[in-house]
Structure formats: structure tokens, C-alpha cells
Amino acid sequence: MEKRILGIDPGLATLGFGAISCQTTQISKSGKTEGSLGVPKRSSQSPIQATPEPLQLIDFGIIQTPAKTDYGSRLCTIYEDLHTLLEHCQPDLVAIEKLFFYRMSTTISVAQARGVVVLVTAQHGVPMVEFTPGQIKQAMTGYGNADKYDVQQAVMRELNLDTIPKPDDLADALAVALTAWFHMS
């Protein structure tokens, strides 16, 4: 069964997003493992048959708002762009990074942007999950205090990318989406 997960790294100046498609397995009433079409999986596959990739990158990017624009206008831009993004990606789940307190002035603006994300997600009726930075680091690297570079390397490896996604907000959003997938598996 295909699930689409949209990961979001909230921010007022730059909001990162990354959408992935995951193949999940189901257990049938008979107790057998089934693939995405409800057909029992075989232990060996014929080399001619194609099997779906368990994980695919759908889309990624950032929503940027100009620094010299007033807060209200910046939040409106995020609101409008998120509506467009959710209509485009059609996610089954939105995963968002929980707020992390480090500088009070930055935290307030991130909280405001995060509130817009929660609102738009609810308006679209899409379920939402949240993960702390430590949970994301743990899921991506196996170590809750991993550094940013290790998480970026894990994102690159899991999605079979040639380079680390830039800017950092983009890589962080993909890490959030991947964390949601790992928690579903």
C-alpha cells in the first residue's frame, strides 16, 4: 500500500518541505504478508517481475518569505503556499518537527509559522505527527545527539541522492518525513 508523507521543517524565513512515497505491507486476514495490491508476497521474485521501490522522493523545496516584509504578510505567504503544496502532494500524513527552544526571538517566529502549518494541515483533514529533534536524529542515525551532517548523510543515503539536499531546512524536512516512515514500519 502506498503512503505519501510530507515532512515539514517549520520556519518563518525558510520553511523546508519534502514529500516521499512509501510502500507499506499489510497482514491479511489469513495472517500472510501482502504487498501493496493485497496480493500475497512470494519469498522469491522472478527476475522479470518488477517490484515497487519501498521509498521514493516525490517533491521537495522551500517556502521563503522576505525578511523586510511584515509578519502578517509572511504568514499569509506560508498559508497560501502550504495550501497549494498539500493540494499538489496529496499526502496521507504530515510530519512536522516539534519546536526546539534555542533563541527566544527565533522561537516565537518559528512557533507562528508552525501554527500556520498545523492550521493548514487540519483544514485539509490530513493526520499529523510530530517529532523532536532528538527523535529525528535517533531515527536517522541511531544516535539522539548526532550532528546535522550525520543526519544529512543519512537522508542522502536513504533517498539514494548524489548530494546532500540544500539548504539545511530542506534536508531537515526530508529527515522528518523519513522519521515518520521509520515509525510506521
Side-chain angles (χ1 to χ4, degrees):
M1 170 185 231
E2 181 193 24
K3 288 249 186 215
R4 289 176 170 238
I5 301 172
L6 177 63
I8 295 181
D9 179 40
L12 183 65
T14 306
L15 180 144
F17 67 87
I20 59 174
S21 172
C22 319
Q23 295 295 327
T24 59
T25 11
Q26 300 173 328
I27 304 297
S28 70
K29 291 177 185 170
S30 66
K32 295 180 181 174
T33 304
E34 297 181 344
S36 60
L37 300 175
V39 178
K41 284 187 165 184
R42 292 186 242 166
S43 57
S44 64
Q45 295 286 329
S46 164
I48 298 172
Q49 290 180 327
T51 55
E53 290 293 321
L55 182 63
Q56 291 183 333
L57 183 60
I58 298 172
D59 197 4
F60 57 90
I62 58 171
I63 297 172
Q64 268 187 308
T65 63
K68 297 192 186 242
T69 308
D70 67 276
Y71 266 27
S73 296
R74 294 172 86 177
L75 293 173
C76 283
T77 298
I78 293 170
Y79 178 84
E80 292 162 1
D81 287 358
L82 279 174
H83 273 293
T84 303
L85 179 62
L86 267 77
E87 289 167 7
H88 169 73
C89 290
Q90 297 289 309
D92 298 300
L93 180 68
V94 171
I96 186 169
E97 186 173 352
K98 280 188 179 177
L99 200 52
F100 177 71
F101 297 95
Y102 49 100
R103 288 191 324 234
M104 191 49 118
S105 62
T106 306
T107 302
I108 291 170
S109 64
V110 172
Q112 291 170 333
R114 192 176 179 288
V116 172
V117 172
V118 172
L119 173 64
V120 172
T121 301
Q123 287 176 330
H124 281 261
V126 180
M128 189 182 82
V129 293
E130 303 172 271
F131 299 101
T132 65
Q135 288 173 311
I136 295 165
K137 291 174 182 181
Q138 178 72 36
M140 295 303 300
T141 68
Y143 179 59
N145 288 323
D147 64 26
K148 191 174 265 307
Y149 181 74
D150 290 335
V151 173
Q152 292 170 340
Q153 286 285 329
V155 167
M156 190 175 80
R157 183 181 59 251
E158 290 295 329
L159 294 172
N160 295 317
L161 303 174
D162 295 330
T163 60
I164 292 173
K166 294 290 181 188
D168 290 350
D169 308 278
L170 174 56
D172 292 347
L174 289 168
V176 175
L178 288 166
T179 299
W181 180 57
F182 295 151
H183 279 261
M184 286 173 34
S185 306

